[in-house]
């Protein structure tokens, strides 16, 4: 059985970035974790940045699959967006690599990590935006700016899932759903 060296390197690098962050991960560490020589890594990747980019592309693909799996054609826009956003943010909250990268972005501000966090957010926003456009076309929601709407929806979810917990007990999935429905779909006016 042939060993897929490239995959072995990607797995080792993912592990290293998850444990130590981007800045503290070195090609030497990855080589040691992958049980290969540094030269083997360089046959597949020019540098640490290229290796990191490959891992992030896979992470974004995995996140898209999580979101797509949450969407059921028979359900309403509201149900699908709620379920997809919740699963995406839970994925980010539970995935060790995204946790470590979020910490590094916040604490150190490593440019490569800030760029990656922006890519992850952009991928989520584009997913929501596509769903908003479809919902407008189907008449499920009012005409709106899909880009701004997706931004507001995602930021509300982040606030309810992450920011609220900083000073309050966590909200249940049902409470988040109710608040999201109230503020996004019903509104405050009588």
């Amino acid at each position: 059985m042939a060993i897929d060296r490239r995959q072995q390197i990607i797995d080792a690098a993912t592990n290293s970035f998850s444990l130590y962050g981007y800045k503290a991960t070195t090609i030497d560490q990855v080589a040691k974790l992958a049980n290969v020589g540094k030269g083997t890594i360089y046959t597949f990747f020019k540098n640490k940045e290229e290796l990191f980019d490959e891992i992030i592309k896979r992470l974004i693909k995995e996140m898209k699959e999580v979101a797509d799996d949450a969407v059921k054609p028979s359900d309403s826009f509201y149900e699908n967006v709620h379920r997809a956003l919740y699963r995406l943010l839970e994925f980010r909250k539970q995935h060790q690599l995204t946790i470590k990268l979020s910490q590094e972005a916040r604490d150190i501000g490593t440019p490569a990590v800030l760029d990656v966090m922006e890519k992850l957010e952009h991928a989520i926003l584009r997913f929501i935006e596509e769903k908003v456009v479809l919902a407008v076309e189907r008449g499920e929601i009012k005409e709106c700016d899909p880009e701004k709407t997706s931004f507001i929806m995602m930021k509300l979810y982040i606030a309810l899932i992450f920011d609220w917990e900083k000073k309050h007990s966590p909200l249940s999935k049902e409470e988040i759903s109710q608040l999201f429905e109230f503020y996004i779909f019903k509104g405050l006016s009588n």
Side-chain angles (χ1 to χ4, degrees):
M1 183 165 105
I3 297 172
D4 183 349
R5 293 275 186 228
R6 188 173 195 280
Q7 187 59 50
Q8 192 175 341
I9 291 164
I10 290 169
D11 292 344
T14 301
N15 188 31
S16 184
F17 289 129
S18 297
L19 291 172
Y20 309 112
Y22 175 80
K23 194 169 187 162
T25 291
T26 65
I27 291 295
D28 286 328
Q29 281 176 319
V30 174
K32 189 179 280 188
L33 287 170
N35 202 25
V36 299
K38 278 174 54 173
T40 304
I41 293 174
Y42 290 120
T43 61
F44 296 105
F45 304 98
K46 283 191 294 191
N47 51 36
K48 179 171 96 169
E49 292 77 18
E50 190 175 284
L51 177 56
F52 189 56
D53 283 345
E54 177 65 25
I55 291 165
I56 297 307
K57 284 178 193 168
R58 290 173 181 229
L59 180 66
I60 290 171
K61 183 179 182 238
E62 192 178 342
M63 288 176 72
K64 179 138 177 53
E65 289 168 2
V66 165
D68 286 338
D69 287 346
V71 174
K72 296 178 184 166
S74 60
D75 287 351
S76 70
F77 168 75
Y78 161 72
E79 292 167 316
N80 282 324
V81 167
H82 168 67
R83 194 171 35 250
L85 272 172
Y86 191 84
R87 288 188 187 166
L88 278 171
L89 295 175
E90 281 298 303
F91 175 89
R92 279 180 61 180
K93 195 175 178 182
Q94 294 171 0
H95 199 281
Q96 189 58 41
L97 178 58
T98 59
I99 293 168
K100 190 64 176 177
L101 293 177
S102 293
Q103 290 170 344
E104 186 171 336
R106 182 188 66 236
D107 298 344
I108 301 172
T110 307
V113 174
L114 292 171
D115 182 52
V116 162
M117 297 312 290
E118 190 174 312
K119 284 180 185 176
L120 291 175
E121 185 172 296
H122 180 77
I124 293 170
L125 286 170
R126 293 299 70 85
F127 175 84
I128 301 166
E129 192 174 328
E130 289 171 11
K131 301 307 174 206
V132 168
V133 168
L134 285 172
V136 168
E137 288 172 0
R138 292 181 185 148
E140 288 184 77
I141 62 173
K142 294 177 187 175
E143 188 74 33
C144 61
D145 180 320
E147 185 179 12
K148 290 175 186 153
T149 303
S150 63
F151 177 82
I152 291 166
M153 288 178 158
M154 187 183 77
K155 292 300 183 178
L156 177 58
Y157 253 88
I158 289 171
L160 293 172
I161 291 176
F162 297 107
D163 298 337
W164 179 262
E165 291 181 14
K166 291 176 185 171
K167 295 187 179 182
H168 305 86
S169 57
L171 297 168
S172 71
K173 188 175 179 179
E174 293 74 28
E175 288 174 307
I176 292 168
S177 178
Q178 290 167 357
L179 289 167
F180 190 76
E181 181 179 9
F182 180 75
Y183 288 106
I184 297 293
F185 291 98
K186 293 181 180 173
L188 292 172
S189 61
N190 287 327

